[in-house]
Amino acid sequence: MDNAIAPNAPQTLAPVPNGTLQRLAAMSPKAKLMLGTGIAALVAVVAALTMWSSQGDYKVLYAGLSDKDGGAIIAQLSQMNVPYKHADGGNAILVPADKVHDARLKLASAGLPKGSVVGFELMDNARFGQTQFQERLTFQRGLEGELTRSISALAAVQAARVHLALPNQNGFFREQQKPSASVLLTLHPGRTLDRTQIAGIVHLVSSSVPELAPKAVSVLDQTGALLSDTDNGNGAQGLDANQLRYVNQIEGTLQKRIFDILEPVVGRDNLRATVAAEVDFSQVESTSEEFKPNQGEQPAAIRSLQSTESTNAGSATPSGVPGAASNQPPVPATAPINGQAQPLQAAQGGQAGGSARRDKVTNYEVDKTVRVTRNATGTVKRINAAVVVNNRSTTDAKGKTTVTPLTKEEIEKLTALVQESIGYSKERGDSVKVINAPFRAEQAPKADDLPLWQQPWLTDLVRAGGVPTALALVGLFVVFGLIRPALRAALPVPAKGQQLDAVVDDEPEVLPALEAPKVANQLTDARTLAKENPAAVANIVRGWVSGETAS
């Protein structure tokens, strides 16, 4: 056989290198490459672990900065020897978590970030020799910046822009043009502004600019909708802040009455109600005058009295009845002021041919009544109420909960209670609607009900220990996948033709020269030889048993 062992072959093993360097030098090129690659990868893993542990956790210092502010902050952080990183495409600056507050305070003392909106600080950098137009334009830019900062401070406003149109005031113009303003608001997602807040913005802008009327201020949102339009009729859009507050107060009071009277009956969480009140704020004023004649038993009051009397003298011809009566002087007239006039008496004597005239004009007072009627403002014209009641829930002795709808009679009783609580008036056109419907209550999952892999503490632990764990796994793979196989390959492998007597020989001069790893490798090679060439192994064993040499 080709694989048969020669009978006169020596019974010794191949020489094994004693030193480490000699063993490494005796390695194959493939083993050397694997060993070098593994050592380099292991060094890289250790260096990455060291750098990651030294950096620590980073948190956001500032986000949404402009390029100018971002560059100034980075320059200041470099001077402060504070490490930093960029995130979110350069829009955010991150620093170590333990230095966030310290860095913010130091940057604030340096006036950073300044923000993209500039205010009256533009006036601090006034150039020498600038014209009046440039000075007026700088003041306008500063005023716009200050208004933008004030409006952006609102919770619902994400960003704002203010445009002022300030005409040049000149004393030679007979009619001066009035200023105007426009405000563009960018609101946070899901946020809105009520009428009171919009009126506050309009009042803020109009009060900051001299001779700027509130009607000349336009407020728009990011969609282009005009928010300050308050002249859309007599509806809720045409009410001012006080009127809206009054309407909300009425609706809130009526809604509270509904809850107060129905909650003890149906339960606290089994009721939803809303009230809409239509209020008339129009003012009507009327004036009327009434004249009454002089009536009653009391004498009429005289305003004025005018009396005229004239007498013309006649001739000296004697007249009258001869006798003693005609020789006496006439008696004075006694005509009453009020009542019928008495006829004049004939002259007892005097000159013949004379005439007399008497006129009297009397003006009496006339009764006059002036009535001014002004209707009250804020009159409730109509009330609409809508109430939703949940189904009735009953729990038996075994703890089983049963849900049943309300009967028609119960709904009618609840409707009557609502009508009485809000002051229902059929003549006024009020409307009350009470319905019964099951409520769908969706409860948010509690932290205890979340599965283990969704627990916040586990998420934070994984986020904090993910990087070192991954680096440790890479290091173990390098050690057991590259370095260990390379070191095994550095050990010599006995040839297949080597006699098996050296493997099992118990000679004292050979065994001390063998090492444990060498013996294990030789046993492996002997098993491999027995599988590949069983005939040669059988001859060797037969020779051991018979004491003869194998052929």
Side-chain angles (χ1 to χ4, degrees):
M1 295 182 180
D2 297 338
N3 296 332
I5 301 177
N8 297 327
Q11 301 294 328
T12 60
L13 296 173
V16 178
N18 296 327
T20 304
L21 296 178
Q22 295 178 357
R23 295 178 181 178
L24 295 178
M27 293 172 59
S28 62
K30 182 179 179 181
K32 291 181 180 180
L33 179 62
M34 291 177 60
L35 182 61
T37 305
I39 294 175
L42 186 60
V43 171
V45 169
V46 174
L49 280 173
T50 304
M51 295 178 60
W52 185 87
S53 60
S54 62
Q55 290 179 358
D57 187 15
Y58 275 73
K59 289 188 177 180
V60 177
L61 179 65
Y62 291 109
L65 296 174
S66 61
D67 296 339
K68 183 177 181 181
D69 286 340
I73 290 176
I74 289 176
Q76 190 69 21
L77 291 176
S78 300
Q79 295 179 2
M80 295 164 53
N81 295 326
V82 176
Y84 61 88
K85 294 192 303 183
H86 298 280
D88 196 12
N91 293 330
I93 300 177
L94 284 74
V95 297
D98 56 345
K99 297 183 179 180
V100 171
H101 302 289
D102 187 22
R104 285 180 181 176
L105 293 176
K106 291 182 179 179
L107 291 174
S109 63
L112 295 175
K114 295 182 179 179
S116 59
V117 180
V118 292
F120 283 133
E121 59 267 16
L122 289 173
M123 306 297 294
D124 299 336
N125 301 325
R127 296 176 299 176
F128 180 76
Q130 64 180 357
T131 62
Q132 184 179 3
F133 174 76
Q134 294 176 344
E135 182 179 358
R136 185 166 58 87
L137 185 60
T138 303
F139 173 77
Q140 180 176 344
R141 289 181 57 195
L143 183 57
E144 291 176 350
E146 295 294 335
L147 290 175
T148 301
R149 290 176 179 176
S150 301
I151 297 174
S152 300
L154 297 177
V157 178
Q158 182 179 6
R161 294 193 65 183
V162 179
H163 303 276
L164 298 178
L166 304 179
N168 187 14
Q169 303 294 335
N170 195 335
F172 296 99
F173 296 159
R174 178 173 298 177
E175 294 182 359
Q176 301 290 343
Q177 187 177 2
K178 300 297 182 182
S180 59
S182 299
V183 181
L184 177 61
L185 302 178
T186 302
L187 304 179
H188 288 285
R191 300 288 188 88
T192 57
L193 293 176
D194 55 14
R195 306 301 303 178
T196 305
Q197 293 174 319
I198 296 174
I201 294 175
V202 172
H203 184 73
L204 172 66
V205 177
S206 62
S207 301
S208 303
V209 180
E211 298 183 1
L212 177 59
K215 295 182 179 180
V217 180
S218 301
V219 181
L220 292 83
D221 60 0
Q222 66 270 23
T223 62
L226 184 62
L227 304 179
S228 60
D229 187 11
T230 58
D231 298 331
N232 294 334
N234 298 326
Q237 300 294 331
L239 304 181
D240 56 11
N242 295 329
Q243 294 173 349
L244 285 174
R245 190 181 302 110
Y246 179 72
V247 173
N248 294 334
Q249 183 178 0
I250 293 177
E251 295 176 350
T253 303
L254 297 178
Q255 187 174 353
K256 184 177 181 299
R257 290 181 182 179
I258 296 175
F259 276 94
D260 291 343
I261 198 171
L262 293 187
E263 277 186 352
V265 179
V266 299
R268 183 177 183 84
D269 296 331
N270 297 325
L271 176 66
R272 297 293 184 272
T274 180
V275 178
E278 183 179 351
V279 184
D280 184 13
F281 290 97
S282 60
Q283 297 182 358
V284 179
E285 182 177 352
S286 61
T287 304
S288 62
E289 295 184 1
E290 296 181 0
F291 296 90
K292 294 183 179 180
N294 295 320
Q295 297 177 357
E297 298 179 354
Q298 299 295 332
I302 299 176
R303 176 187 296 178
S304 62
L305 176 63
Q306 182 179 2
S307 178
T308 304
E309 184 178 353
S310 61
T311 304
N312 294 327
S315 60
T317 304
S319 60
V321 179
S326 60
N327 295 329
Q328 296 178 359
V331 181
T334 59
I337 296 177
N338 297 330
Q340 297 180 357
Q342 299 294 330
L344 298 177
Q345 296 181 358
Q348 298 295 329
Q351 298 179 357
S355 62
R357 182 179 178 181
R358 180 178 297 173
D359 297 332
K360 181 181 179 183
V361 178
T362 304
N363 296 324
Y364 297 93
E365 290 287 352
V366 180
D367 294 341
K368 178 181 179 182
T369 302
V370 179
R371 182 178 292 104
V372 178
T373 304
R374 179 179 300 172
N375 294 338
T377 59
T379 305
V380 178
K381 296 177 61 178
R382 187 179 180 182
I383 297 176
N384 298 326
V387 181
V388 181
V389 182
N390 192 13
N391 291 341
R392 183 189 297 106
S393 299
T394 56
T395 305
D396 55 8
K398 298 181 180 179
K400 183 179 180 181
T401 303
T402 306
V403 179
T404 57
L406 301 180
T407 61
K408 184 177 181 181
E409 291 76 9
E410 292 176 341
I411 295 178
E412 292 178 355
K413 292 180 181 179
L414 296 178
T415 304
L417 289 176
V418 174
Q419 291 178 353
E420 293 297 331
S421 63
I422 66 173
Y424 175 80
S425 176
K426 185 176 180 180
E427 292 78 9
R428 192 171 53 188
D430 295 348
S431 174
V432 175
K433 188 67 175 178
V434 179
I435 64 173
N436 173 224
F439 287 4
R440 298 182 60 183
E442 298 180 358
Q443 297 181 356
K446 299 180 180 179
D448 299 338
D449 300 336
L450 294 175
L452 181 62
W453 59 86
Q454 294 182 359
Q455 293 290 337
W457 62 269
L458 183 60
T459 305
D460 297 338
L461 181 62
V462 171
R463 187 181 297 110
V467 175
T469 303
L471 293 177
L473 293 177
V474 172
L476 293 176
F477 173 77
V478 169
V479 171
F480 292 98
L482 297 177
I483 298 178
R484 185 179 178 181
L487 293 178
R488 284 185 175 182
L491 300 177
V493 179
K496 293 183 180 180
Q498 191 176 6
Q499 290 185 356
L500 296 178
D501 297 337
V503 179
V504 295
D505 195 2
D506 294 336
E507 294 294 333
E509 65 272 10
V510 180
L511 291 178
L514 298 177
E515 297 178 357
K518 302 297 183 180
V519 174
N521 293 334
Q522 291 174 0
L523 291 174
T524 303
D525 295 337
R527 294 190 185 96
T528 305
L529 179 61
K531 292 180 180 179
E532 293 179 354
N533 198 346
V537 175
N539 293 332
I540 295 173
V541 175
R542 187 182 301 111
W544 289 346
V545 174
S546 60
E548 299 176 357
T549 58
S551 57

